[in-house]
Amino acid sequence: MTRAGLSSLLLRAEAVTGKCYVLTFSNKHNLTLADLTTSQLLPIIDAWTQIYTTHLSPKSPLVKVASPTTLQPGSSQASISRPHAQYRYMQIFENKGAAMGCSNPHPHGQIWTTTGLPEEPAVELDNLKRYRREQGGAHMLEDYATMELEKQERVVFANESFVILCPWWAIWPYETMIISRSHLRALPDLSPEQKMHLAEAISDITRRYDNLFETHFPYSMGIHQAPLEGSDEEIEASHLHLHFYPPLLRSASVRKFLVGYELMAEPQRDITPEQAAAKLRGCGGPLYRQKLE
């Protein structure tokens, strides 16, 4: 085979375009999600939902349940209008702390919208679709949340709509997920009550993180949900959930590094998810900084 033939066999590249947003969580630069009340978190969830809805494909089944996008005049999102291009996926995320590469101290998150389906959510979606086909229409994360709630070994917190848990397959020491207990495809599926429950869950886990080592606990958080454009199977198999990947291991200054065997072969657990969940369960209550005031 010629060199040109090998290139076509081994290498593939495709152009991806997109649009990015930065969403400020508060006009007070010394606050984080852990400092905000549940009611203060609701406008953030509303903004995520509105921006997501603005970018939905008109052919998506989610359009039938999505409320009309109503970006308030004068708000920081008021200039957002429907894009000319149809994007495939929207990744909403937050990097908190210098340890996670956050160079701006003000509380903010980002939204990257792309014409392609990124690798991590694509692998998840393939597994969700396969489980649904093989299990007669059941949803994997709904079943997983039910199982974890029954066992109570890795559950950190739960309310009527969401469960926070340290997943069985966790790589990072205090890795957690927020999973909707019933099948929700994406943010537009949330009722007003479920939005309040999601705000409560985000508030709870971010407070517990900060309380654990009494520090501004760093992490990367991301929302996984249905793609903006996709087949009915892709949309219906998707399940709304949030990942939190924090690097700290034993204290505010000792972090985990994925090196050597973990990088080249397989990640190793410094503590089990059960141990991590137990420690996080013991960190509830008011934010430690409020006790010092």
Side-chain angles (χ1 to χ4, degrees):
M1 186 175 290
T2 65
R3 186 177 300 274
L6 286 173
S7 294
S8 62
L9 176 66
L10 299 173
L11 308 178
R12 191 184 81 175
E14 57 184 57
V16 175
T17 59
K19 193 169 184 179
C20 301
Y21 302 93
V22 174
L23 181 66
T24 301
F25 298 151
S26 172
N27 59 3
K28 296 182 179 179
H29 286 203
N30 63 324
L31 299 183
T32 67
L33 292 183
D35 297 286
L36 301 180
T37 65
T38 298
S39 60
Q40 289 172 324
L41 286 167
L42 276 176
I44 299 170
I45 295 173
D46 284 337
W48 287 337
T49 306
Q50 290 167 343
I51 295 171
Y52 177 91
T53 301
T54 301
H55 291 75
L56 269 178
S57 166
K59 299 178 182 178
S60 172
L62 283 161
V63 171
K64 297 177 182 178
V65 299
S67 300
T69 303
T70 54
L71 297 171
Q72 298 301 315
S75 74
S76 58
Q77 300 93 31
S79 61
I80 295 175
S81 57
R82 178 157 184 79
H84 298 298
Q86 179 56 62
Y87 297 112
R88 173 89 158 107
Y89 192 78
M90 176 176 288
Q91 182 57 64
I92 300 170
F93 65 97
E94 178 201 9
N95 294 325
K96 179 187 175 186
M100 302 309 290
C102 183
S103 57
N104 293 314
H106 61 269
H108 71 285
Q110 298 182 53
I111 300 171
W112 290 16
T113 308
T114 56
T115 52
L117 185 61
E119 180 178 340
E120 201 69 27
V123 171
E124 277 191 359
L125 188 53
D126 283 343
N127 288 324
L128 293 171
K129 288 190 297 182
R130 184 170 68 250
Y131 186 92
R132 186 166 179 250
R133 288 194 300 265
E134 294 176 353
Q135 302 301 322
H139 296 281
M140 182 168 66
L141 287 181
E142 183 177 21
D143 286 353
Y144 178 65
T146 298
M147 182 201 71
E148 290 286 19
L149 284 164
E150 290 174 354
K151 288 182 173 293
Q152 287 293 316
E153 296 171 346
R154 290 168 291 273
V155 171
V156 177
F157 169 84
N159 57 28
E160 292 179 34
S161 304
F162 291 90
V163 57
I164 304 172
L165 53 84
C166 295
W168 170 260
W169 55 86
I171 293 174
W172 298 99
Y174 294 99
E175 179 179 333
T176 60
M177 294 175 68
I178 300 177
I179 306 175
S180 64
R181 296 175 62 164
S182 60
H183 178 235
L184 299 172
R185 299 164 296 181
L187 289 167
D189 278 337
L190 290 169
S191 67
E193 185 179 27
Q194 287 169 328
K195 283 185 180 180
M196 180 67 76
H197 291 159
L198 177 56
E200 182 184 27
I202 293 172
S203 175
D204 184 87
I205 189 57
T206 52
R207 273 199 326 275
R208 289 179 193 271
Y209 276 153
D210 280 16
N211 287 345
L212 180 62
F213 297 133
E214 295 193 348
T215 189
H216 287 283
F217 201 91
Y219 59 74
S220 276
M221 177 275 287
I223 301 176
H224 283 177
Q225 57 186 324
L228 299 169
E229 181 182 51
S231 67
D232 285 357
E233 182 188 21
E234 288 179 329
I235 305 300
E236 296 306 319
S238 297
H239 192 111
L240 176 66
H241 62 285
L242 287 70
H243 291 279
F244 284 81
Y245 298 136
L248 296 185
L249 175 57
R250 294 187 183 92
S251 71
S253 59
V254 178
R255 61 173 296 173
K256 178 182 177 68
F257 292 95
L258 286 172
V259 296
Y261 185 89
E262 293 192 270
L263 192 62
M264 302 298 174
E266 183 177 33
Q268 303 297 293
R269 289 173 173 165
D270 299 272
I271 62 173
T272 67
E274 294 81 7
Q275 291 169 328
K279 289 188 176 182
L280 287 170
R281 282 196 297 268
C283 294
L287 188 62
Y288 79 94
R289 290 187 290 276
Q290 296 173 351
K291 300 176 185 178
L292 301 177
E293 294 175 353

